[in-house]
Amino acid sequence: MQSIFLAAIPLPVHEQAMRLAVVAASANPFFPFGAVIVRAGDREVLATGVNNRSANPTFHGEIVAINDYIARLGNRGWAEVILYATGEPCPMCMGALAWARIGGVVYGTSIETLQKVGIEQILLPATAVIAAAPFYRGEILGGVLESETDKLFIDRKRA
């Protein structure tokens, strides 16, 4: 699998896709974890997801987006896509993304910040998960639109 060089994509392009993840996140004002999967080559949005843990505890935004992608396109083409997520993928989600061998992952808010604003987290960064997955060749980029995604989590509704 050839890697998508996330650093070669201009920051405004990443920000445009992250804004789509922010829009997806608005569907869950309590846990605004939104995700979109975009084809790297032409920037087409191929799938979306938002946290739906009320239906299933594993339905994090990334997992919902993975399932949407598979429903639309099948279980193929992962190396050519980038997942954009409002929050850093948890170990479960990053593991799933590594197993899919997704081309790249871009996120806004870090796991540490999510913990600080009161959202329980497994404090294992996505970079540690991929470091433990020697088969994974994709890239990860964090902090894209971080101030906007941080605000989503800080201002979220609480039960």
Side-chain angles (χ1 to χ4, degrees):
M1 174 175 83
Q2 196 169 31
S3 181
I4 296 169
F5 295 104
L6 296 177
I9 298 170
L11 184 58
V13 174
H14 287 310
E15 290 173 342
Q16 182 181 28
M18 185 61 72
R19 284 195 173 90
L20 298 174
V22 168
V23 169
S26 69
N28 186 337
F30 294 95
F31 293 97
F33 292 91
V36 295
I37 297 175
V38 175
R39 187 180 299 120
D42 63 8
R43 308 304 298 167
E44 180 182 352
V45 176
L46 303 173
T48 61
V50 66
N51 183 292
N52 190 9
R53 71 183 203 160
S54 63
N56 180 318
T58 67
F59 284 177
H60 293 192
E62 299 92 334
I63 301 299
V64 175
I66 288 169
N67 287 331
D68 186 39
Y69 179 92
I70 291 169
R72 294 174 188 227
L73 300 166
N75 188 14
R76 59 185 172 79
W78 293 106
E80 294 87 37
V81 301
I82 301 168
L83 178 129
Y84 291 84
T86 55
E88 182 176 356
C90 73
M92 175 187 71
C93 293
M94 195 61 237
L97 293 164
W99 283 116
R101 291 170 171 79
I102 197 163
V105 175
V106 178
Y107 67 87
T109 300
S110 70
I111 285 177
E112 293 81 15
T113 299
L114 293 167
Q115 178 78 18
K116 286 178 187 173
V117 301
I119 299 174
E120 292 178 328
Q121 293 295 304
I122 297 172
L123 297 175
L124 184 66
T127 53
V129 175
I130 61 174
F135 58 87
Y136 181 64
R137 302 285 182 256
E139 294 186 7
I140 190 162
L141 174 65
V144 173
L145 291 184
E146 186 174 28
S147 62
E148 292 180 35
T149 59
D150 285 0
K151 187 168 173 36
L152 277 178
F153 296 108
I154 292 166
D155 295 344
R156 71 187 177 93
K157 287 186 178 180
R158 296 191 171 49

